[in-house]
Amino acid sequence: MSITLTIAIPTFNRKPRLERCLITLLEQVAGKSVELLVSDNASCDDTQFFMEAFCLEHPEVTYIRNTENIGPDRNFLNCYNKAAGEYVLLLGDDDVLLPGAVDTILQALSRKPVMVHLNTSSILSQDPLTYSQPRYPEGDMVYMRNPVDMLETMGIFVTFMSSFILRNDLVRAIPDKERYIGTYFIQSHIALKTMSAEGEYIFIKKNCLAASGNETVNYDVYFVWGKMYGQLLNDTAVSVGMDPERIRRQHKKDLGGLIPTFIKTYRRSCKDSNKWDKESILSQVRPYPGQFLKFWALVNLPISVVEFIIKVKTYIKKQENQ
Protein backbone atom coordinates (compact mmCIF):
# COMPACT_ATOMS: atom_id res chain seq x y z
CA MET A 1 0.00 0.00 0.00
CA SER A 2 1.36 3.39 -0.92
CA ILE A 3 1.91 5.81 1.94
CA THR A 4 0.11 9.13 1.78
CA LEU A 5 1.61 10.74 4.88
CA THR A 6 4.76 10.26 6.92
CA ILE A 7 4.61 11.68 10.42
CA ALA A 8 8.31 11.96 11.23
CA ILE A 9 9.33 12.66 14.81
CA PRO A 10 12.90 13.86 15.45
CA THR A 11 13.80 13.23 19.07
CA PHE A 12 16.62 13.58 21.59
CA ASN A 13 16.53 12.63 25.28
CA ARG A 14 12.79 13.18 25.77
CA LYS A 15 11.46 9.65 26.18
CA PRO A 16 8.39 10.53 28.34
CA ARG A 17 7.12 13.12 25.86
CA LEU A 18 7.98 10.93 22.88
CA GLU A 19 5.97 8.09 24.43
CA ARG A 20 2.93 10.33 24.92
CA CYS A 21 3.27 11.67 21.38
CA LEU A 22 3.33 8.15 19.90
CA ILE A 23 0.47 6.82 22.01
CA THR A 24 -1.79 9.68 20.92
CA LEU A 25 -0.98 8.84 17.28
CA LEU A 26 -1.46 5.05 17.24
CA GLU A 27 -5.25 5.00 17.28
CA GLN A 28 -5.45 7.81 14.75
CA VAL A 29 -3.22 6.13 12.15
CA ALA A 30 -4.46 2.54 12.53
CA GLY A 31 -5.44 1.11 9.14
CA LYS A 32 -4.60 4.31 7.31
CA SER A 33 -1.92 5.08 4.72
CA VAL A 34 0.26 6.77 7.31
CA GLU A 35 3.85 5.99 8.29
CA LEU A 36 5.15 6.78 11.79
CA LEU A 37 8.89 7.41 11.74
CA VAL A 38 11.08 8.25 14.73
CA SER A 39 14.61 9.59 14.16
CA ASP A 40 16.56 9.36 17.43
CA ASN A 41 19.56 11.69 17.53
CA ALA A 42 21.67 9.31 19.68
CA SER A 43 19.69 9.86 22.88
CA CYS A 44 21.54 8.89 26.03
CA ASP A 45 18.44 8.39 28.18
CA ASP A 46 16.29 5.25 27.82
CA THR A 47 14.76 6.30 24.48
CA GLN A 48 16.47 3.46 22.58
CA PHE A 49 15.30 0.77 25.02
CA PHE A 50 11.75 2.17 24.95
CA MET A 51 11.61 2.46 21.15
CA GLU A 52 12.97 -1.04 20.48
CA ALA A 53 10.34 -2.53 22.78
CA PHE A 54 7.64 -0.23 21.36
CA CYS A 55 8.39 -1.26 17.77
CA LEU A 56 8.15 -4.96 18.66
CA GLU A 57 4.63 -4.29 19.90
CA HIS A 58 3.83 -1.83 17.10
CA PRO A 59 5.71 -2.92 13.94
CA GLU A 60 3.99 -0.19 11.96
CA VAL A 61 6.36 2.29 13.66
CA THR A 62 9.82 2.74 12.10
CA TYR A 63 12.70 3.59 14.43
CA ILE A 64 16.00 5.05 13.23
CA ARG A 65 18.85 5.77 15.63
CA ASN A 66 21.80 7.92 14.65
CA THR A 67 25.14 6.51 15.78
CA GLU A 68 26.11 9.98 17.04
CA ASN A 69 24.40 13.29 17.73
CA ILE A 70 24.34 15.03 14.35
CA GLY A 71 22.57 18.16 15.58
CA PRO A 72 18.88 19.04 15.22
CA ASP A 73 19.10 20.41 11.66
CA ARG A 74 20.72 17.26 10.24
CA ASN A 75 18.24 15.16 12.16
CA PHE A 76 15.40 17.11 10.52
CA LEU A 77 17.00 16.38 7.14
CA ASN A 78 17.29 12.73 8.14
CA CYS A 79 13.52 12.66 8.68
CA TYR A 80 12.87 14.15 5.25
CA ASN A 81 15.35 11.80 3.58
CA LYS A 82 13.95 8.64 5.18
CA ALA A 83 10.24 9.49 4.83
CA ALA A 84 8.38 7.17 2.48
CA GLY A 85 5.15 9.16 2.33
CA GLU A 86 3.90 11.38 -0.46
CA TYR A 87 3.66 14.12 2.18
CA VAL A 88 5.74 14.72 5.31
CA LEU A 89 4.85 16.26 8.66
CA LEU A 90 7.79 16.88 10.98
CA LEU A 91 6.17 16.60 14.40
CA GLY A 92 7.90 17.78 17.55
CA ASP A 93 8.18 15.00 20.13
CA ASP A 94 6.62 17.34 22.70
CA ASP A 95 3.65 18.30 20.48
CA VAL A 96 0.34 16.41 20.28
CA LEU A 97 -1.89 15.81 17.26
CA LEU A 98 -5.40 16.18 18.65
CA PRO A 99 -8.19 13.59 18.11
CA GLY A 100 -9.43 13.50 14.54
CA ALA A 101 -6.47 15.48 13.21
CA VAL A 102 -5.07 12.68 11.03
CA ASP A 103 -8.43 12.09 9.30
CA THR A 104 -8.76 15.80 8.63
CA ILE A 105 -5.22 16.00 7.27
CA LEU A 106 -5.77 13.01 4.96
CA GLN A 107 -8.94 14.63 3.67
CA ALA A 108 -6.94 17.75 2.79
CA LEU A 109 -4.14 15.71 1.21
CA SER A 110 -6.62 13.97 -1.09
CA ARG A 111 -6.72 17.25 -3.04
CA LYS A 112 -2.96 16.92 -3.75
CA PRO A 113 -1.97 20.39 -2.45
CA VAL A 114 1.50 21.93 -2.49
CA MET A 115 1.34 22.49 1.27
CA VAL A 116 -1.01 22.20 4.23
CA HIS A 117 -0.91 24.45 7.30
CA LEU A 118 -2.55 23.44 10.58
CA ASN A 119 -4.41 25.57 13.07
CA THR A 120 -2.75 25.09 16.45
CA SER A 121 -3.18 25.74 20.16
CA SER A 122 -0.79 25.82 23.11
CA ILE A 123 -0.43 23.16 25.79
CA LEU A 124 -1.43 24.60 29.16
CA SER A 125 -0.75 21.52 31.28
CA GLN A 126 0.77 18.12 30.55
CA ASP A 127 -1.13 15.85 32.93
CA PRO A 128 -3.98 15.97 32.30
CA LEU A 129 -3.45 17.44 28.84
CA THR A 130 -5.17 20.78 28.54
CA TYR A 131 -4.67 23.36 25.83
CA SER A 132 -5.65 26.88 24.84
CA GLN A 133 -8.06 28.13 22.23
CA PRO A 134 -6.50 27.87 18.75
CA ARG A 135 -4.77 30.77 16.98
CA TYR A 136 -7.65 31.10 14.52
CA PRO A 137 -11.36 30.47 15.18
CA GLU A 138 -12.16 26.97 13.97
CA GLY A 139 -13.99 26.62 10.66
CA ASP A 140 -13.93 25.08 7.21
CA MET A 141 -10.72 24.53 5.27
CA VAL A 142 -9.38 27.52 3.37
CA TYR A 143 -8.03 26.99 -0.14
CA MET A 144 -5.49 29.33 -1.74
CA ARG A 145 -3.55 29.51 -5.00
CA ASN A 146 -1.12 32.32 -4.17
CA PRO A 147 1.79 31.21 -1.94
CA VAL A 148 2.05 34.70 -0.41
CA ASP A 149 -1.53 34.33 0.82
CA MET A 150 -0.45 31.12 2.51
CA LEU A 151 2.63 32.75 4.04
CA GLU A 152 0.55 35.63 5.39
CA THR A 153 -1.85 33.09 6.92
CA MET A 154 1.04 31.23 8.55
CA GLY A 155 2.83 34.37 9.70
CA ILE A 156 5.59 33.62 12.16
CA PHE A 157 4.33 30.03 12.41
CA VAL A 158 6.24 29.36 9.20
CA THR A 159 9.03 28.66 11.71
CA PHE A 160 6.98 26.02 13.59
CA MET A 161 7.69 22.70 11.85
CA SER A 162 4.77 20.83 13.46
CA SER A 163 2.28 23.19 11.82
CA PHE A 164 2.93 22.45 8.15
CA ILE A 165 2.91 19.45 5.85
CA LEU A 166 5.11 19.42 2.76
CA ARG A 167 5.02 17.46 -0.47
CA ASN A 168 7.91 15.02 -0.33
CA ASP A 169 8.90 15.22 -4.00
CA LEU A 170 9.22 19.01 -3.74
CA VAL A 171 11.40 18.69 -0.63
CA ARG A 172 13.68 16.16 -2.30
CA ALA A 173 14.00 18.34 -5.40
CA ILE A 174 15.58 21.20 -3.41
CA PRO A 175 19.34 21.15 -4.13
CA ASP A 176 21.88 21.52 -1.34
CA LYS A 177 19.43 21.67 1.54
CA GLU A 178 22.48 21.39 3.80
CA ARG A 179 23.25 25.06 3.15
CA TYR A 180 20.44 25.92 5.57
CA ILE A 181 22.07 24.04 8.45
CA GLY A 182 22.81 26.54 11.21
CA THR A 183 20.16 29.07 10.12
CA TYR A 184 17.92 28.02 13.07
CA PHE A 185 15.05 27.73 10.55
CA ILE A 186 16.12 24.94 8.20
CA GLN A 187 12.59 23.53 8.13
CA SER A 188 11.23 26.97 7.21
CA HIS A 189 13.70 27.57 4.39
CA ILE A 190 12.76 24.16 3.00
CA ALA A 191 9.05 24.95 3.30
CA LEU A 192 9.45 28.27 1.48
CA LYS A 193 11.48 26.62 -1.29
CA THR A 194 8.63 24.17 -1.95
CA MET A 195 6.30 27.15 -2.32
CA SER A 196 7.79 27.96 -5.72
CA ALA A 197 5.51 25.20 -7.06
CA GLU A 198 2.17 26.03 -8.61
CA GLY A 199 -0.91 24.47 -7.08
CA GLU A 200 -3.25 24.62 -4.15
CA TYR A 201 -2.40 25.57 -0.57
CA ILE A 202 -4.72 24.49 2.24
CA PHE A 203 -5.18 25.96 5.71
CA ILE A 204 -6.98 23.54 8.04
CA LYS A 205 -8.90 25.73 10.48
CA LYS A 206 -9.87 22.82 12.71
CA ASN A 207 -7.64 22.83 15.79
CA CYS A 208 -5.33 19.93 14.94
CA LEU A 209 -2.37 20.30 17.26
CA ALA A 210 -1.45 21.27 20.81
CA ALA A 211 2.05 22.70 20.91
CA SER A 212 4.49 22.74 23.79
CA GLY A 213 6.25 26.08 24.22
CA ASN A 214 9.76 26.72 25.53
CA GLU A 215 10.23 28.72 28.71
CA THR A 216 13.96 29.10 28.14
CA VAL A 217 16.23 28.95 25.11
CA ASN A 218 19.95 28.43 24.61
CA TYR A 219 20.43 30.75 21.66
CA ASP A 220 20.80 34.50 21.02
CA VAL A 221 17.16 35.60 20.70
CA TYR A 222 18.06 38.95 19.07
CA PHE A 223 20.20 37.23 16.42
CA VAL A 224 17.70 34.47 15.65
CA TRP A 225 14.50 36.56 15.58
CA GLY A 226 16.29 39.57 14.13
CA LYS A 227 18.87 38.74 11.50
CA MET A 228 18.01 35.08 10.82
CA TYR A 229 14.25 35.55 10.64
CA GLY A 230 14.76 38.61 8.44
CA GLN A 231 16.91 36.54 6.06
CA LEU A 232 14.28 33.80 5.98
CA LEU A 233 11.66 36.22 4.68
CA ASN A 234 13.61 38.82 2.75
CA ASP A 235 16.01 36.37 1.09
CA THR A 236 14.44 32.92 0.79
CA ALA A 237 10.78 33.95 0.43
CA VAL A 238 11.65 36.56 -2.17
CA SER A 239 13.98 34.14 -3.98
CA VAL A 240 11.05 31.87 -4.86
CA GLY A 241 9.16 34.72 -6.48
CA MET A 242 7.04 36.10 -3.67
CA ASP A 243 6.11 39.79 -3.89
CA PRO A 244 8.88 41.71 -2.02
CA GLU A 245 6.51 44.43 -0.83
CA ARG A 246 4.05 41.94 0.65
CA ILE A 247 6.94 40.11 2.31
CA ARG A 248 8.17 43.41 3.74
CA ARG A 249 4.70 44.10 5.18
CA GLN A 250 4.57 40.61 6.65
CA HIS A 251 7.99 41.08 8.24
CA LYS A 252 6.87 44.36 9.77
CA LYS A 253 3.70 42.70 11.09
CA ASP A 254 5.71 39.88 12.70
CA LEU A 255 8.10 42.37 14.32
CA GLY A 256 5.07 44.03 15.87
CA GLY A 257 3.46 40.74 16.87
CA LEU A 258 4.96 37.76 18.69
CA ILE A 259 8.64 38.68 18.39
CA PRO A 260 8.48 41.32 21.17
CA THR A 261 6.71 38.71 23.30
CA PHE A 262 9.52 36.24 22.67
CA ILE A 263 12.07 38.86 23.70
CA LYS A 264 10.25 39.70 26.94
CA THR A 265 9.74 36.04 27.83
CA TYR A 266 13.32 34.96 27.20
CA ARG A 267 14.94 38.06 28.70
CA ARG A 268 13.11 37.18 31.88
CA SER A 269 14.12 33.52 31.90
CA CYS A 270 17.59 33.40 30.27
CA LYS A 271 20.67 34.29 32.29
CA ASP A 272 22.79 35.25 29.26
CA SER A 273 20.44 37.77 27.68
CA ASN A 274 22.91 40.60 28.40
CA LYS A 275 25.29 38.93 25.92
CA TRP A 276 22.83 38.87 23.03
CA ASP A 277 23.61 40.93 19.92
CA LYS A 278 21.21 43.90 20.18
CA GLU A 279 22.17 45.23 16.77
CA SER A 280 20.82 42.07 15.14
CA ILE A 281 17.28 43.00 16.10
CA LEU A 282 17.62 46.79 15.98
CA SER A 283 18.92 46.65 12.40
CA GLN A 284 15.69 44.89 11.40
CA VAL A 285 13.40 47.54 12.88
CA ARG A 286 15.28 50.66 11.75
CA PRO A 287 13.27 50.81 8.51
CA TYR A 288 10.13 51.08 10.66
CA PRO A 289 10.50 54.25 12.82
CA GLY A 290 7.29 53.54 14.70
CA GLN A 291 8.77 50.33 16.06
CA PHE A 292 12.39 51.30 16.59
CA LEU A 293 11.86 53.14 19.89
CA LYS A 294 9.82 50.24 21.27
CA PHE A 295 12.52 47.73 20.41
CA TRP A 296 15.28 49.99 21.67
CA ALA A 297 13.57 50.12 25.07
CA LEU A 298 12.81 46.41 24.94
CA VAL A 299 16.45 45.40 24.54
CA ASN A 300 18.19 48.16 26.53
CA LEU A 301 16.05 48.87 29.60
CA PRO A 302 15.99 46.52 32.61
CA ILE A 303 13.26 43.93 32.12
CA SER A 304 11.50 45.12 35.29
CA VAL A 305 11.25 48.63 33.79
CA VAL A 306 9.97 47.19 30.49
CA GLU A 307 7.26 45.26 32.29
CA PHE A 308 6.29 48.32 34.34
CA ILE A 309 5.94 50.41 31.17
CA ILE A 310 3.77 47.71 29.61
CA LYS A 311 1.51 47.63 32.67
CA VAL A 312 1.14 51.43 32.61
CA LYS A 313 0.32 51.47 28.89
CA THR A 314 -2.18 48.63 29.35
CA TYR A 315 -3.86 50.50 32.21
CA ILE A 316 -4.08 53.73 30.21
CA LYS A 317 -5.52 51.93 27.20
CA LYS A 318 -8.08 50.20 29.41
CA GLN A 319 -9.15 53.53 30.90
CA GLU A 320 -9.49 55.07 27.46
CA ASN A 321 -11.76 52.23 26.33
CA GLN A 322 -14.11 52.51 29.27
Side-chain angles (χ1 to χ4, degrees):
M1 181 177 68
S2 62
I3 298 172
T4 301
L5 172 67
T6 294
I7 300 175
I9 307 170
T11 192
F12 177 68
N13 279 355
R14 293 206 284 200
K15 179 261 178 183
R17 294 190 178 188
L18 174 64
E19 181 177 8
R20 184 193 64 182
C21 180
L22 286 169
I23 288 172
T24 61
L25 286 170
L26 285 176
E27 184 176 347
Q28 290 198 55
V29 305
K32 300 181 176 69
S33 57
V34 179
E35 172 190 35
L36 294 183
L37 171 69
V38 174
S39 182
D40 178 6
N41 205 9
S43 294
C44 49
D45 61 359
D46 57 352
T47 294
Q48 181 178 9
F49 176 80
F50 160 71
M51 283 304 309
E52 288 174 349
F54 192 85
C55 289
L56 287 175
E57 187 175 354
H58 303 283
E60 67 274 25
V61 179
T62 300
Y63 175 57
I64 300 168
R65 178 176 170 83
N66 300 326
T67 56
E68 61 181 2
N69 189 325
I70 58 177
D73 288 355
R74 292 187 186 277
N75 202 30
F76 293 170
L77 288 180
N78 197 41
C79 288
Y80 283 127
N81 292 335
K82 299 295 175 61
E86 183 181 359
Y87 289 86
V88 185
L89 165 62
L90 250 60
L91 181 66
D93 58 8
D94 55 352
D95 298 329
V96 177
L97 278 179
L98 298 174
V102 171
D103 284 339
T104 303
I105 290 169
L106 291 175
Q107 179 186 349
L109 296 182
S110 69
R111 296 175 63 101
K112 305 301 181 183
V114 174
M115 176 190 289
V116 172
H117 178 54
L118 307 178
N119 200 3
T120 63
S121 53
S122 299
I123 292 176
L124 301 176
S125 67
Q126 299 284 350
D127 189 17
L129 178 66
T130 61
Y131 45 89
S132 68
Q133 291 297 311
R135 292 179 289 125
Y136 285 90
E138 295 190 80
D140 296 332
M141 294 186 192
V142 178
Y143 307 102
M144 294 164 263
R145 304 293 298 188
N146 189 328
V148 186
D149 293 338
M150 182 64 152
L151 181 57
E152 289 175 344
T153 299
M154 298 172 78
I156 204 165
F157 281 79
V158 71
T159 64
F160 179 36
M161 70 180 188
S162 299
S163 75
F164 52 78
I165 301 163
L166 307 181
R167 217 172 78 193
N168 202 355
D169 64 324
L170 296 176
V171 173
R172 293 189 173 183
I174 301 170
D176 301 326
K177 290 184 283 292
E178 291 79 6
R179 69 187 183 275
Y180 300 120
I181 291 172
T183 64
Y184 293 87
F185 300 123
I186 188 171
Q187 71 283 357
S188 308
H189 286 280
I190 290 172
L192 289 174
K193 282 294 184 180
T194 70
M195 295 172 77
S196 62
E198 294 184 0
E200 188 171 66
Y201 296 81
I202 301 177
F203 174 39
I204 297 178
K205 294 192 73 177
K206 175 182 176 178
N207 185 19
C208 286
L209 184 136
S212 177
N214 296 320
E215 295 181 359
T216 61
V217 294
N218 58 1
Y219 59 76
D220 183 332
V221 170
Y222 303 152
F223 176 75
V224 171
W225 292 105
K227 182 177 181 178
M228 302 312 289
Y229 186 65
Q231 286 183 356
L232 174 71
L233 294 185
N234 298 308
D235 293 349
T236 299
V238 172
S239 76
V240 299
M242 296 190 189
D243 181 354
E245 182 54 33
R246 289 183 68 181
I247 296 301
R248 180 182 179 275
R249 290 199 300 267
Q250 182 60 46
H251 190 202
K252 180 180 179 181
K253 180 179 179 181
D254 293 337
L255 287 168
L258 284 177
I259 291 177
T261 302
F262 294 160
I263 292 174
K264 285 181 291 188
T265 299
Y266 298 134
R267 275 199 66 193
R268 189 184 307 116
S269 61
C270 296
K271 297 178 179 179
D272 293 334
S273 63
N274 61 314
K275 299 178 182 178
W276 295 342
D277 180 9
K278 298 175 183 178
E279 184 57 26
S280 290
I281 190 71
L282 293 179
S283 65
Q284 297 296 313
V285 294
R286 278 200 178 89
Y288 315 119
Q291 294 198 38
F292 181 78
L293 182 59
K294 176 180 72 174
F295 272 85
W296 185 94
L298 191 57
V299 304
N300 283 292
L301 296 179
I303 189 63
S304 58
V305 174
V306 171
E307 292 177 335
F308 176 76
I309 293 172
I310 293 171
K311 287 181 181 179
V312 171
K313 291 177 67 175
T314 302
Y315 175 79
I316 293 173
K317 186 174 182 179
K318 183 178 179 179
Q319 295 300 308
E320 290 175 346
N321 291 335
Q322 286 182 350

